[in-house]
Amino acid sequence: MKIFNVLLIIVTINFIGCPQERLFDTASSININVGTEPSKVAAVDLNKDGFIDLLVTTTGGLAIYLNDGKGNFTAAQGSPFPAGNQPADIGLGDFNSDGNPDVAIPNHEKNEVTILFSDGQGIFKQAPYHSLKYNFNPHAHSVAAGDLNNDGNCDLVLTNFLGAEILAVFGDGKGKFLNEPVRYTVPHYPYRNVILDDINKDGKIDIITPANNSNAITILLGDGKGTFEFAKYSPVPVGNNPFFVITGDFNNDKNVEIAAGNFDNATLTVLEGNRENDFSKSEVKTFKIGEKPVCMATADLNNDGVMDLATANYDGNNISILFGDEKEVIKNEVLNIPVGSAPYGIAIADLNGDKKPDIVTANLESNNITILFNVNSK
């Protein structure tokens, strides 16, 4: 079983605090029209040519753009592919054990999750068991893929927003998922994302999701056999209406940090990791970022050996970049870069073959994606 990691313009740069050197080239950044209301974007090599391709959810389906290795993208034959009603998220994993990245897509306004199989050439087709129908209230918004029970097969985790639940759905490695998920009641409300990581460093997958109406994040610790229980300190308070969470080691201390983008007050809350793996004991840092942060991605953007963080800011029409630091965890500076209108998704990957991480956003209201190329000289 293989899990595929999501590698989740005209540029004016504003600095708060000490400026970084210029990281992105305004002249060579590009916009690509991808269809109506693109919401999520993911980056992975779909056709095994060594170049990172792009997947974008739109109201017309799943749009696929294949990369020539130099940052030039062409729509795959047959793109966009039918992906259910109003595709809302992208979960990547090898569901049928053929070595190709398949996709799970929650459908907005409908109690379904669409499963698409990849042929290894950038073409997707609906799986034989292509529609997972569970009782959501009102529907699933988010999905994450991983091996929850260490059986070598790819499983799914889904959010049930108003139902205040996380659903664990187990795969058989042949593309089929069990009919009845395991449901975990969580604080109000798990909304726009759910992630999997080993939070307590025991070698077992854990689940992290926002509890946006509770101004907190929820952490469920896994036993490696497919069962989860609340961490003793969960839920953990963050900012107002956390919309999206992400993890990373932002200071190279081998501990996991958790960052939450707070939708209502344009801030980012960072919970510093510690040896006890207890986030109730974390040093908490808050940063002012763009308006309505809705999605995040991580990478070492400035090649200093430390993980950095980028947020897509829906009302700000921009992204915010925050830099990891071995002493400060996150530096007290923010790099804001305008992109398209209402960026709703973001991913980071080397898109032009220069071994530098580039940034792509899915812009909901301008019906395009923006690709911002990294020109860091280090």
Side-chain angles (χ1 to χ4, degrees):
M1 182 276 300
K2 185 174 182 180
I3 304 300
F4 294 86
N5 294 322
V6 177
L7 306 170
L8 272 229
I9 298 180
I10 299 173
V11 178
T12 302
I13 298 177
N14 300 310
F15 292 97
I16 301 173
C18 301
Q20 284 274 333
E21 63 182 291
R22 186 168 67 100
L23 285 177
F24 295 97
D25 182 8
T26 62
S28 63
S29 58
I30 59 176
N31 294 305
I32 302 174
N33 294 326
V34 294
T36 306
E37 296 184 354
S39 56
K40 292 292 182 177
V41 58
V44 70
D45 182 5
L46 294 173
N47 55 359
K48 302 178 182 178
D49 62 359
F51 309 137
I52 299 297
D53 308 305
L54 297 176
L55 307 86
V56 186
T57 54
T58 73
T59 56
L62 180 67
I64 301 297
Y65 289 87
L66 301 178
N67 190 354
D68 69 353
K70 299 178 182 179
N72 302 307
F73 291 86
T74 303
Q77 181 181 357
S79 175
F81 300 97
N85 191 65
Q86 297 185 46
D89 198 6
I90 300 172
L92 284 167
D94 183 3
F95 304 144
N96 57 356
S97 305
D98 66 353
N100 300 322
D102 306 313
V103 181
I105 298 178
N107 297 135
H108 208 263
E109 305 298 341
K110 206 166 186 179
N111 273 310
E112 294 183 2
V113 178
T114 297
I115 306 296
L116 301 178
F117 286 167
S118 168
D119 70 347
Q121 297 299 317
I123 296 175
F124 286 81
K125 64 180 180 180
Q126 290 192 332
Y129 308 99
H130 62 84
S131 182
L132 308 181
K133 297 182 179 181
Y134 302 127
N135 183 23
F136 295 107
N137 182 10
H139 44 257
H141 286 96
S142 305
V143 60
D147 184 0
L148 303 179
N149 55 0
N150 287 317
D151 65 352
N153 300 324
C154 191
D155 310 308
L156 300 176
V157 175
L158 300 159
T159 60
N160 183 11
F161 174 43
L162 293 179
E165 291 178 324
I166 293 294
L167 279 65
V169 185
F170 296 94
D172 67 355
K174 299 177 182 179
K176 187 176 181 179
F177 294 88
L178 297 183
N179 291 330
E180 287 301 321
V182 179
R183 297 173 182 264
Y184 297 91
T185 299
V186 296
H188 294 189
Y189 288 106
Y191 192 24
R192 276 296 177 179
N193 86 309
V194 60
I195 59 173
L196 306 178
D197 200 351
D198 180 9
I199 286 291
N200 56 354
K201 296 178 291 186
D202 65 354
K204 302 164 186 174
I205 286 181
D206 308 311
I207 300 173
I208 309 96
T209 190
N212 66 342
N213 281 35
S214 301
N215 297 333
I217 58 174
T218 299
I219 298 173
L220 298 171
L221 300 179
D223 66 356
K225 300 177 182 179
T227 301
F228 295 85
E229 63 179 14
F230 280 97
K232 63 181 180 180
Y233 51 80
S234 179
V236 185
V238 286
N240 291 349
N241 191 3
F243 207 79
F244 200 96
V245 295
I246 203 165
T247 56
D249 181 3
F250 301 118
N251 60 354
N252 281 351
D253 67 351
K254 309 303 181 185
N255 296 315
V256 178
E257 276 78 54
I258 301 178
N262 304 308
F263 189 79
D264 285 351
N265 61 358
T267 61
L268 180 80
T269 298
V270 178
L271 305 174
E272 185 175 355
N274 52 68
R275 293 180 180 177
E276 293 82 10
N277 304 313
D278 184 341
F279 285 93
S280 67
K281 299 178 180 179
S282 292
E283 181 178 352
V284 181
K285 295 188 175 183
T286 302
F287 304 87
K288 186 68 175 178
I289 57 175
E291 293 292 329
K292 309 296 187 189
V294 293
C295 195
M296 293 187 280
T298 60
D300 180 7
L301 294 171
N302 56 359
N303 196 33
D304 65 353
V306 186
M307 189 75 69
D308 306 311
L309 172 67
T311 73
N313 307 314
Y314 183 79
D315 271 7
N317 298 326
N318 64 2
I319 63 171
S320 296
I321 296 175
L322 298 95
F323 299 96
D325 184 79
E326 291 184 348
K327 296 181 179 179
E328 301 178 64
V329 184
I330 295 287
K331 292 182 179 179
N332 190 26
E333 60 185 272
V334 178
L335 172 62
N336 292 318
I337 305 175
V339 287
S341 180
Y344 208 78
I346 187 170
I348 301 176
D350 177 11
L351 299 178
N352 58 357
D354 64 357
K355 303 188 185 307
K356 299 173 185 177
D358 309 304
I359 296 176
V360 55
T361 61
N363 308 311
L364 192 77
E365 294 182 358
S366 53
N367 298 325
N368 63 5
I369 59 173
T370 295
I371 299 176
L372 189 61
F373 292 107
N374 190 323
V375 293
N376 182 32
S377 60
K378 290 183 180 180

PDB file of all heavy atoms in Angstrom, residues 30 32 44-47 49-54 65-75 350-354 371 373:
ATOM      1  N   ILE A  30       2.506  32.299 -13.273  1.00  0.00           N
ATOM      2  CA  ILE A  30       1.484  32.122 -14.303  1.00  0.00           C
ATOM      3  C   ILE A  30       0.119  31.858 -13.680  1.00  0.00           C
ATOM      4  O   ILE A  30       0.011  31.387 -12.544  1.00  0.00           O
ATOM      5  CB  ILE A  30       1.833  30.968 -15.256  1.00  0.00           C
ATOM      6  CG1 ILE A  30       1.987  29.645 -14.486  1.00  0.00           C
ATOM      7  CG2 ILE A  30       3.095  31.279 -16.041  1.00  0.00           C
ATOM      8  CD1 ILE A  30       2.227  28.452 -15.380  1.00  0.00           C
ATOM      9  N   ILE A  32      -3.568  29.855 -14.752  1.00  0.00           N
ATOM     10  CA  ILE A  32      -4.163  28.894 -15.682  1.00  0.00           C
ATOM     11  C   ILE A  32      -5.655  28.797 -15.381  1.00  0.00           C
ATOM     12  O   ILE A  32      -6.048  28.499 -14.246  1.00  0.00           O
ATOM     13  CB  ILE A  32      -3.521  27.503 -15.544  1.00  0.00           C
ATOM     14  CG1 ILE A  32      -2.009  27.571 -15.793  1.00  0.00           C
ATOM     15  CG2 ILE A  32      -4.172  26.516 -16.508  1.00  0.00           C
ATOM     16  CD1 ILE A  32      -1.288  26.257 -15.519  1.00  0.00           C
ATOM     17  N   VAL A  44       1.212  15.924  -7.385  1.00  0.00           N
ATOM     18  CA  VAL A  44       1.838  14.605  -7.321  1.00  0.00           C
ATOM     19  C   VAL A  44       2.152  14.170  -8.760  1.00  0.00           C
ATOM     20  O   VAL A  44       1.548  14.665  -9.712  1.00  0.00           O
ATOM     21  CB  VAL A  44       0.894  13.593  -6.627  1.00  0.00           C
ATOM     22  CG1 VAL A  44      -0.304  13.271  -7.486  1.00  0.00           C
ATOM     23  CG2 VAL A  44       1.628  12.327  -6.218  1.00  0.00           C
ATOM     24  N   ASP A  45       3.120  13.281  -8.928  1.00  0.00           N
ATOM     25  CA  ASP A  45       3.454  12.751 -10.252  1.00  0.00           C
ATOM     26  C   ASP A  45       2.424  11.695 -10.630  1.00  0.00           C
ATOM     27  O   ASP A  45       2.420  10.581 -10.091  1.00  0.00           O
ATOM     28  CB  ASP A  45       4.859  12.152 -10.233  1.00  0.00           C
ATOM     29  CG  ASP A  45       5.301  11.614 -11.595  1.00  0.00           C
ATOM     30  OD1 ASP A  45       4.555  11.790 -12.575  1.00  0.00           O
ATOM     31  OD2 ASP A  45       6.386  11.010 -11.650  1.00  0.00           O
ATOM     32  N   LEU A  46       1.566  12.018 -11.576  1.00  0.00           N
ATOM     33  CA  LEU A  46       0.478  11.126 -11.957  1.00  0.00           C
ATOM     34  C   LEU A  46       0.843  10.128 -13.050  1.00  0.00           C
ATOM     35  O   LEU A  46       0.237   9.063 -13.139  1.00  0.00           O
ATOM     36  CB  LEU A  46      -0.731  11.950 -12.420  1.00  0.00           C
ATOM     37  CG  LEU A  46      -1.413  12.812 -11.361  1.00  0.00           C
ATOM     38  CD1 LEU A  46      -2.472  13.689 -12.008  1.00  0.00           C
ATOM     39  CD2 LEU A  46      -2.033  11.945 -10.273  1.00  0.00           C
ATOM     40  N   ASN A  47       1.810  10.482 -13.904  1.00  0.00           N
ATOM     41  CA  ASN A  47       2.104   9.628 -15.059  1.00  0.00           C
ATOM     42  C   ASN A  47       3.524   9.061 -15.054  1.00  0.00           C
ATOM     43  O   ASN A  47       4.026   8.610 -16.081  1.00  0.00           O
ATOM     44  CB  ASN A  47       1.850  10.396 -16.362  1.00  0.00           C
ATOM     45  CG  ASN A  47       2.621  11.704 -16.428  1.00  0.00           C
ATOM     46  OD1 ASN A  47       3.347  12.064 -15.492  1.00  0.00           O
ATOM     47  ND2 ASN A  47       2.457  12.418 -17.529  1.00  0.00           N
ATOM     48  N   ASP A  49       6.534  10.189 -14.921  1.00  0.00           N
ATOM     49  CA  ASP A  49       7.611  10.747 -15.726  1.00  0.00           C
ATOM     50  C   ASP A  49       8.607  11.543 -14.886  1.00  0.00           C
ATOM     51  O   ASP A  49       9.532  12.151 -15.434  1.00  0.00           O
ATOM     52  CB  ASP A  49       7.058  11.614 -16.860  1.00  0.00           C
ATOM     53  CG  ASP A  49       6.258  12.814 -16.351  1.00  0.00           C
ATOM     54  OD1 ASP A  49       6.106  12.967 -15.118  1.00  0.00           O
ATOM     55  OD2 ASP A  49       5.777  13.595 -17.203  1.00  0.00           O
ATOM     56  N   GLY A  50       8.408  11.548 -13.570  1.00  0.00           N
ATOM     57  CA  GLY A  50       9.306  12.271 -12.680  1.00  0.00           C
ATOM     58  C   GLY A  50       8.961  13.725 -12.491  1.00  0.00           C
ATOM     59  O   GLY A  50       9.665  14.425 -11.748  1.00  0.00           O
ATOM     60  N   PHE A  51       7.885  14.199 -13.117  1.00  0.00           N
ATOM     61  CA  PHE A  51       7.474  15.594 -13.000  1.00  0.00           C
ATOM     62  C   PHE A  51       6.175  15.681 -12.205  1.00  0.00           C
ATOM     63  O   PHE A  51       5.284  14.828 -12.333  1.00  0.00           O
ATOM     64  CB  PHE A  51       7.271  16.216 -14.383  1.00  0.00           C
ATOM     65  CG  PHE A  51       8.425  16.029 -15.321  1.00  0.00           C
ATOM     66  CD1 PHE A  51       8.225  15.690 -16.647  1.00  0.00           C
ATOM     67  CD2 PHE A  51       9.728  16.180 -14.871  1.00  0.00           C
ATOM     68  CE1 PHE A  51       9.285  15.503 -17.512  1.00  0.00           C
ATOM     69  CE2 PHE A  51      10.811  15.996 -15.729  1.00  0.00           C
ATOM     70  CZ  PHE A  51      10.592  15.661 -17.050  1.00  0.00           C
ATOM     71  N   ILE A  52       6.064  16.718 -11.419  1.00  0.00           N
ATOM     72  CA  ILE A  52       4.905  16.889 -10.555  1.00  0.00           C
ATOM     73  C   ILE A  52       3.740  17.482 -11.344  1.00  0.00           C
ATOM     74  O   ILE A  52       3.869  18.533 -11.971  1.00  0.00           O
ATOM     75  CB  ILE A  52       5.237  17.781  -9.354  1.00  0.00           C
ATOM     76  CG1 ILE A  52       6.350  17.150  -8.509  1.00  0.00           C
ATOM     77  CG2 ILE A  52       3.998  18.018  -8.497  1.00  0.00           C
ATOM     78  CD1 ILE A  52       5.982  15.817  -7.897  1.00  0.00           C
ATOM     79  N   ASP A  53       2.616  16.789 -11.296  1.00  0.00           N
ATOM     80  CA  ASP A  53       1.401  17.223 -11.983  1.00  0.00           C
ATOM     81  C   ASP A  53       0.418  17.817 -10.969  1.00  0.00           C
ATOM     82  O   ASP A  53       0.645  17.755  -9.753  1.00  0.00           O
ATOM     83  CB  ASP A  53       0.775  16.030 -12.703  1.00  0.00           C
ATOM     84  CG  ASP A  53       1.779  15.299 -13.586  1.00  0.00           C
ATOM     85  OD1 ASP A  53       2.390  15.957 -14.447  1.00  0.00           O
ATOM     86  OD2 ASP A  53       1.959  14.079 -13.391  1.00  0.00           O
ATOM     87  N   LEU A  54      -0.669  18.387 -11.471  1.00  0.00           N
ATOM     88  CA  LEU A  54      -1.624  19.077 -10.604  1.00  0.00           C
ATOM     89  C   LEU A  54      -3.018  18.486 -10.750  1.00  0.00           C
ATOM     90  O   LEU A  54      -3.453  18.148 -11.852  1.00  0.00           O
ATOM     91  CB  LEU A  54      -1.668  20.571 -10.946  1.00  0.00           C
ATOM     92  CG  LEU A  54      -0.372  21.347 -10.740  1.00  0.00           C
ATOM     93  CD1 LEU A  54      -0.536  22.797 -11.205  1.00  0.00           C
ATOM     94  CD2 LEU A  54       0.073  21.303  -9.285  1.00  0.00           C
ATOM     95  N   TYR A  65      -3.792  18.449 -14.758  1.00  0.00           N
ATOM     96  CA  TYR A  65      -2.836  19.170 -15.599  1.00  0.00           C
ATOM     97  C   TYR A  65      -1.477  18.495 -15.492  1.00  0.00           C
ATOM     98  O   TYR A  65      -0.902  18.382 -14.404  1.00  0.00           O
ATOM     99  CB  TYR A  65      -2.773  20.645 -15.185  1.00  0.00           C
ATOM    100  CG  TYR A  65      -4.037  21.378 -15.564  1.00  0.00           C
ATOM    101  CD1 TYR A  65      -5.125  21.392 -14.701  1.00  0.00           C
ATOM    102  CD2 TYR A  65      -4.158  21.995 -16.808  1.00  0.00           C
ATOM    103  CE1 TYR A  65      -6.311  22.013 -15.069  1.00  0.00           C
ATOM    104  CE2 TYR A  65      -5.337  22.621 -17.177  1.00  0.00           C
ATOM    105  CZ  TYR A  65      -6.400  22.629 -16.301  1.00  0.00           C
ATOM    106  OH  TYR A  65      -7.582  23.241 -16.670  1.00  0.00           O
ATOM    107  N   LEU A  66      -0.980  18.042 -16.644  1.00  0.00           N
ATOM    108  CA  LEU A  66       0.276  17.320 -16.701  1.00  0.00           C
ATOM    109  C   LEU A  66       1.427  18.269 -16.992  1.00  0.00           C
ATOM    110  O   LEU A  66       1.318  19.183 -17.819  1.00  0.00           O
ATOM    111  CB  LEU A  66       0.198  16.227 -17.777  1.00  0.00           C
ATOM    112  CG  LEU A  66      -0.920  15.185 -17.570  1.00  0.00           C
ATOM    113  CD1 LEU A  66      -0.926  14.180 -18.713  1.00  0.00           C
ATOM    114  CD2 LEU A  66      -0.772  14.488 -16.223  1.00  0.00           C
ATOM    115  N   ASN A  67       2.537  18.035 -16.324  1.00  0.00           N
ATOM    116  CA  ASN A  67       3.700  18.919 -16.329  1.00  0.00           C
ATOM    117  C   ASN A  67       4.749  18.400 -17.317  1.00  0.00           C
ATOM    118  O   ASN A  67       5.027  17.197 -17.373  1.00  0.00           O
ATOM    119  CB  ASN A  67       4.272  18.954 -14.906  1.00  0.00           C
ATOM    120  CG  ASN A  67       5.332  20.004 -14.700  1.00  0.00           C
ATOM    121  OD1 ASN A  67       5.764  20.673 -15.619  1.00  0.00           O
ATOM    122  ND2 ASN A  67       5.773  20.145 -13.460  1.00  0.00           N
ATOM    123  N   ASP A  68       5.344  19.304 -18.081  1.00  0.00           N
ATOM    124  CA  ASP A  68       6.416  18.904 -19.000  1.00  0.00           C
ATOM    125  C   ASP A  68       7.785  18.919 -18.329  1.00  0.00           C
ATOM    126  O   ASP A  68       8.803  18.678 -18.987  1.00  0.00           O
ATOM    127  CB  ASP A  68       6.423  19.801 -20.242  1.00  0.00           C
ATOM    128  CG  ASP A  68       6.856  21.235 -19.949  1.00  0.00           C
ATOM    129  OD1 ASP A  68       7.031  21.603 -18.753  1.00  0.00           O
ATOM    130  OD2 ASP A  68       7.012  22.013 -20.919  1.00  0.00           O
ATOM    131  N   GLY A  69       7.819  19.196 -17.034  1.00  0.00           N
ATOM    132  CA  GLY A  69       9.070  19.237 -16.284  1.00  0.00           C
ATOM    133  C   GLY A  69       9.678  20.607 -16.184  1.00  0.00           C
ATOM    134  O   GLY A  69      10.620  20.827 -15.426  1.00  0.00           O
ATOM    135  N   LYS A  70       9.127  21.563 -16.948  1.00  0.00           N
ATOM    136  CA  LYS A  70       9.638  22.931 -16.925  1.00  0.00           C
ATOM    137  C   LYS A  70       8.602  23.917 -16.384  1.00  0.00           C
ATOM    138  O   LYS A  70       8.781  25.127 -16.509  1.00  0.00           O
ATOM    139  CB  LYS A  70      10.062  23.342 -18.331  1.00  0.00           C
ATOM    140  CG  LYS A  70      11.169  22.459 -18.913  1.00  0.00           C
ATOM    141  CD  LYS A  70      11.526  22.872 -20.331  1.00  0.00           C
ATOM    142  CE  LYS A  70      12.598  21.963 -20.920  1.00  0.00           C
ATOM    143  NZ  LYS A  70      12.941  22.344 -22.322  1.00  0.00           N
ATOM    144  N   GLY A  71       7.531  23.384 -15.840  1.00  0.00           N
ATOM    145  CA  GLY A  71       6.498  24.255 -15.288  1.00  0.00           C
ATOM    146  C   GLY A  71       5.432  24.640 -16.284  1.00  0.00           C
ATOM    147  O   GLY A  71       4.647  25.563 -16.020  1.00  0.00           O
ATOM    148  N   ASN A  72       5.379  23.939 -17.413  1.00  0.00           N
ATOM    149  CA  ASN A  72       4.315  24.152 -18.397  1.00  0.00           C
ATOM    150  C   ASN A  72       3.298  23.020 -18.253  1.00  0.00           C
ATOM    151  O   ASN A  72       3.670  21.845 -18.248  1.00  0.00           O
ATOM    152  CB  ASN A  72       4.881  24.170 -19.813  1.00  0.00           C
ATOM    153  CG  ASN A  72       5.946  25.232 -19.994  1.00  0.00           C
ATOM    154  OD1 ASN A  72       5.728  26.400 -19.693  1.00  0.00           O
ATOM    155  ND2 ASN A  72       7.111  24.826 -20.483  1.00  0.00           N
ATOM    156  N   PHE A  73       2.023  23.381 -18.178  1.00  0.00           N
ATOM    157  CA  PHE A  73       0.993  22.397 -17.865  1.00  0.00           C
ATOM    158  C   PHE A  73      -0.024  22.282 -18.996  1.00  0.00           C
ATOM    159  O   PHE A  73      -0.441  23.287 -19.575  1.00  0.00           O
ATOM    160  CB  PHE A  73       0.287  22.764 -16.562  1.00  0.00           C
ATOM    161  CG  PHE A  73       1.166  22.601 -15.356  1.00  0.00           C
ATOM    162  CD1 PHE A  73       2.017  23.631 -14.949  1.00  0.00           C
ATOM    163  CD2 PHE A  73       1.178  21.417 -14.647  1.00  0.00           C
ATOM    164  CE1 PHE A  73       2.849  23.481 -13.851  1.00  0.00           C
ATOM    165  CE2 PHE A  73       2.008  21.248 -13.547  1.00  0.00           C
ATOM    166  CZ  PHE A  73       2.840  22.275 -13.150  1.00  0.00           C
ATOM    167  N   THR A  74      -0.412  21.041 -19.281  1.00  0.00           N
ATOM    168  CA  THR A  74      -1.404  20.746 -20.315  1.00  0.00           C
ATOM    169  C   THR A  74      -2.485  19.867 -19.712  1.00  0.00           C
ATOM    170  O   THR A  74      -2.185  18.916 -18.977  1.00  0.00           O
ATOM    171  CB  THR A  74      -0.752  20.007 -21.494  1.00  0.00           C
ATOM    172  OG1 THR A  74       0.319  20.797 -22.020  1.00  0.00           O
ATOM    173  CG2 THR A  74      -1.774  19.753 -22.592  1.00  0.00           C
ATOM    174  N   ALA A  75      -3.739  20.178 -20.033  1.00  0.00           N
ATOM    175  CA  ALA A  75      -4.848  19.372 -19.523  1.00  0.00           C
ATOM    176  C   ALA A  75      -4.722  17.938 -20.025  1.00  0.00           C
ATOM    177  O   ALA A  75      -4.434  17.693 -21.198  1.00  0.00           O
ATOM    178  CB  ALA A  75      -6.175  19.976 -19.950  1.00  0.00           C
ATOM    179  N   ASP A 350       8.012  21.239  -6.231  1.00  0.00           N
ATOM    180  CA  ASP A 350       8.912  21.700  -7.294  1.00  0.00           C
ATOM    181  C   ASP A 350       8.221  21.468  -8.624  1.00  0.00           C
ATOM    182  O   ASP A 350       8.144  20.340  -9.113  1.00  0.00           O
ATOM    183  CB  ASP A 350      10.236  20.948  -7.218  1.00  0.00           C
ATOM    184  CG  ASP A 350      11.184  21.334  -8.351  1.00  0.00           C
ATOM    185  OD1 ASP A 350      10.911  22.323  -9.065  1.00  0.00           O
ATOM    186  OD2 ASP A 350      12.203  20.623  -8.517  1.00  0.00           O
ATOM    187  N   LEU A 351       7.744  22.533  -9.242  1.00  0.00           N
ATOM    188  CA  LEU A 351       6.942  22.413 -10.449  1.00  0.00           C
ATOM    189  C   LEU A 351       7.726  22.665 -11.731  1.00  0.00           C
ATOM    190  O   LEU A 351       7.207  22.408 -12.821  1.00  0.00           O
ATOM    191  CB  LEU A 351       5.755  23.379 -10.379  1.00  0.00           C
ATOM    192  CG  LEU A 351       4.785  23.143  -9.211  1.00  0.00           C
ATOM    193  CD1 LEU A 351       3.683  24.188  -9.218  1.00  0.00           C
ATOM    194  CD2 LEU A 351       4.205  21.738  -9.247  1.00  0.00           C
ATOM    195  N   ASN A 352       8.950  23.157 -11.637  1.00  0.00           N
ATOM    196  CA  ASN A 352       9.718  23.434 -12.857  1.00  0.00           C
ATOM    197  C   ASN A 352      11.091  22.770 -12.873  1.00  0.00           C
ATOM    198  O   ASN A 352      11.938  23.112 -13.692  1.00  0.00           O
ATOM    199  CB  ASN A 352       9.859  24.940 -13.075  1.00  0.00           C
ATOM    200  CG  ASN A 352      10.532  25.652 -11.908  1.00  0.00           C
ATOM    201  OD1 ASN A 352      10.856  25.026 -10.899  1.00  0.00           O
ATOM    202  ND2 ASN A 352      10.735  26.951 -12.047  1.00  0.00           N
ATOM    203  N   GLY A 353      11.324  21.831 -11.981  1.00  0.00           N
ATOM    204  CA  GLY A 353      12.523  21.015 -12.037  1.00  0.00           C
ATOM    205  C   GLY A 353      13.802  21.664 -11.568  1.00  0.00           C
ATOM    206  O   GLY A 353      14.885  21.145 -11.833  1.00  0.00           O
ATOM    207  N   ASP A 354      13.700  22.771 -10.818  1.00  0.00           N
ATOM    208  CA  ASP A 354      14.921  23.425 -10.343  1.00  0.00           C
ATOM    209  C   ASP A 354      15.247  23.092  -8.897  1.00  0.00           C
ATOM    210  O   ASP A 354      16.129  23.697  -8.296  1.00  0.00           O
ATOM    211  CB  ASP A 354      14.809  24.946 -10.512  1.00  0.00           C
ATOM    212  CG  ASP A 354      13.713  25.567  -9.662  1.00  0.00           C
ATOM    213  OD1 ASP A 354      12.984  24.819  -8.970  1.00  0.00           O
ATOM    214  OD2 ASP A 354      13.571  26.810  -9.694  1.00  0.00           O
ATOM    215  N   ILE A 371       0.365  29.888 -10.188  1.00  0.00           N
ATOM    216  CA  ILE A 371       1.634  29.211  -9.897  1.00  0.00           C
ATOM    217  C   ILE A 371       2.707  30.265  -9.692  1.00  0.00           C
ATOM    218  O   ILE A 371       2.944  31.100 -10.569  1.00  0.00           O
ATOM    219  CB  ILE A 371       2.026  28.259 -11.028  1.00  0.00           C
ATOM    220  CG1 ILE A 371       0.963  27.172 -11.201  1.00  0.00           C
ATOM    221  CG2 ILE A 371       3.395  27.613 -10.713  1.00  0.00           C
ATOM    222  CD1 ILE A 371       1.226  26.240 -12.359  1.00  0.00           C
ATOM    223  N   PHE A 373       6.607  30.766  -8.898  1.00  0.00           N
ATOM    224  CA  PHE A 373       7.862  30.033  -8.949  1.00  0.00           C
ATOM    225  C   PHE A 373       8.880  30.615  -7.957  1.00  0.00           C
ATOM    226  O   PHE A 373       9.038  31.820  -7.835  1.00  0.00           O
ATOM    227  CB  PHE A 373       8.433  30.052 -10.353  1.00  0.00           C
ATOM    228  CG  PHE A 373       7.612  29.273 -11.334  1.00  0.00           C
ATOM    229  CD1 PHE A 373       6.846  29.917 -12.285  1.00  0.00           C
ATOM    230  CD2 PHE A 373       7.587  27.879 -11.284  1.00  0.00           C
ATOM    231  CE1 PHE A 373       6.067  29.197 -13.184  1.00  0.00           C
ATOM    232  CE2 PHE A 373       6.811  27.145 -12.169  1.00  0.00           C
ATOM    233  CZ  PHE A 373       6.055  27.809 -13.126  1.00  0.00           C
TER     234      PHE A 373
END
